[in-house]
Amino acid sequence: MFRKFALTTTVVLGSITAASAQELVVGAFGGSFADNVETCYVQPFTQATGASVLLKPASSAQHAASVRATAGQSDMDVVFADDAFAVQMANEGLLVPLDRAALTNAPDIIEGAWGKDDAYVAAMLGATTIVYNKETVTTPPTSWNDLFDPKYEGRITIGDVSATAGWQFLAALNQMEGGTLQDPGPGLAKIKPLAQSAVLLHTQADQVVSLFERGEIDIAVWYPDRAGVAIKGGLPLAVAYPQEGAVGIRPTISIPKGTQQQDLAMKFIDTVLSVEAQKCFSEAQVIGPVNSKVVLSDDLATILPTAEQAGQMLFLDPAEMAVVMPDWTRRWQREVLR
């Protein structure tokens, strides 16, 4: 989900050996993500515990591969990874189950944030939802069905099935229409006219920015964090969470087996889940919190999901989606594009 950028001064270069007694090694994403982890998570954790933190930057796939390669002897004590990779690591028995009783902030975390058997927990919340130009869309949409209003014909973009926003939107429609993971037919039938009249079936999030900038679209199935960045850049956009529920995206945090710092790692995760840290990171990274007690600043409150909206989100099991996606893709090409 997050791209790798230039390393910050807090990042460890190259391989890292096992952490010393009061030193925690945290696998994170790079660039602005690492900068905000340092500010919002590391600094308060260090102040509270006196322990130092070394950040190891890589993608979710690279972190998962590292944990797999060092199974039971991980050189990381805590790992950030998108939920698809967290599921893989959990299914392979590579993660230490989180003890909610040891996390003082656990009662405040939305239930949809927890992985199966508490193998991991989402540290933040992204989504696939509706973004629109508030200067041209005078009545804010409230439902996925609003996208099918004839007034948006030729003025909308949705994701291709190969893009996260594409298959997640299809999954939301399919559930609304009574389909199942094994039978996406109802969703495919529903989405077909919209896909065929769309300005673009986008495959990259940045394509949507260009379409809004050029005034070619009024509405999009897109991501609130990307919309937030575009809004900061001056685009007159707004975010709407459909009443049926947006589709949740969960960057997670977990503890690999083999750490010698399990108690310290739990304290770090507890810091990440705290109201103060969640608010700090959400506003810096423009991404939703998972702590239900977070109150966002006014400029982000209309962009990021409320606790109620987060509770209504559809969370898809990455392992189950991995099984059905080849069939979904074939049927998309055959039943939607033709």
Side-chain angles (χ1 to χ4, degrees):
M1 180 175 177
F2 296 96
R3 289 176 288 185
K4 208 162 86 174
F5 296 93
L7 305 183
T8 67
T9 57
T10 61
V11 168
V12 179
L13 301 177
S15 62
I16 303 175
T17 58
S20 61
Q22 287 298 309
E23 181 179 85
L24 207 66
V25 179
V26 176
F29 308 112
S32 64
F33 186 97
D35 294 340
N36 293 328
V37 165
E38 169 68 26
T39 299
C40 299
Y41 301 153
V42 173
Q43 290 181 12
F45 170 76
T46 297
Q47 290 171 3
T49 65
S52 62
V53 174
L54 298 177
L55 298 184
K56 183 178 181 180
S59 67
S60 294
Q62 290 168 327
H63 283 319
S66 176
V67 171
R68 190 174 294 113
T70 57
Q73 297 180 324
S74 178
D75 60 0
M76 294 181 289
D77 304 299
V78 176
V79 176
F80 285 94
D82 289 347
D83 61 355
F85 294 94
V87 168
Q88 291 175 12
M89 291 187 286
N91 289 344
E92 294 170 30
L94 299 174
L95 302 180
V96 177
L98 302 178
D99 180 5
R100 293 200 202 189
L103 297 170
T104 62
N105 294 294
D108 301 325
I109 304 306
I110 62 171
E111 191 59 33
W114 298 97
K116 183 180 179 181
D117 298 325
D118 293 345
Y120 56 87
V121 64
M124 58 209 70
L125 192 63
T128 291
T129 190
I130 301 171
V131 178
Y132 62 97
N133 184 327
K134 61 185 181 182
E135 292 183 349
T136 59
V137 176
T138 56
T139 302
T142 60
S143 166
W144 288 123
N145 284 321
D146 291 342
L147 298 174
F148 295 84
D149 191 311
K151 66 185 177 184
Y152 297 128
E153 186 171 351
R155 299 289 301 171
I156 190 171
T157 181
I158 66 173
D160 181 75
V161 74
S162 63
T164 298
W167 64 260
Q168 289 196 338
F169 179 40
L170 173 59
L173 293 181
N174 194 51
Q175 177 175 274
M176 288 167 56
E177 296 297 305
T180 65
L181 291 182
Q182 290 69 38
D183 178 20
L188 291 167
K190 175 78 170 179
I191 206 172
K192 181 174 182 176
L194 192 62
Q196 294 191 338
S197 66
V199 173
L200 176 71
L201 299 179
H202 62 84
T203 57
Q204 300 178 32
D206 291 344
Q207 293 173 310
V208 181
V209 177
S210 298
L211 293 174
F212 274 123
E213 286 177 335
R214 295 195 299 266
E216 294 183 25
I217 59 172
D218 298 318
I219 198 164
V221 176
W222 204 34
Y223 313 114
D225 57 320
R226 295 299 188 115
V229 172
I231 291 168
K232 285 184 176 181
L235 285 179
L237 305 182
V239 177
Y241 289 87
Q243 61 192 16
E244 301 87 0
V247 185
I249 300 172
R250 300 174 294 187
T252 71
I253 189 168
S254 59
I255 301 175
K257 283 187 176 178
T259 175
Q260 301 301 305
Q261 303 285 1
Q262 186 170 327
D263 290 343
L264 200 59
M266 286 291 289
K267 290 178 181 178
F268 183 80
I269 291 178
D270 206 23
T271 298
V272 169
L273 299 179
S274 70
V275 171
E276 298 79 10
Q278 287 277 297
K279 179 179 175 65
C280 174
F281 195 88
S282 291
E283 296 191 344
Q285 195 71 26
V286 193
I287 198 164
V290 294
N291 189 308
S292 62
K293 291 186 176 180
V294 172
V295 178
L296 298 170
S297 59
D298 291 343
D299 60 334
L300 290 182
T302 56
I303 299 174
L304 300 179
T306 64
E308 181 180 1
Q309 289 165 337
Q312 294 173 335
M313 284 184 181
L314 169 63
F315 290 102
L316 299 163
D317 186 324
E320 293 180 352
M321 291 308 302
V323 172
V324 301
M325 277 306 298
D327 180 59
W328 281 34
T329 300
R330 285 191 296 269
R331 293 191 60 176
W332 173 277
Q333 294 169 344
R334 184 174 65 248
E335 299 174 31
V336 174
L337 299 186
R338 293 181 183 175

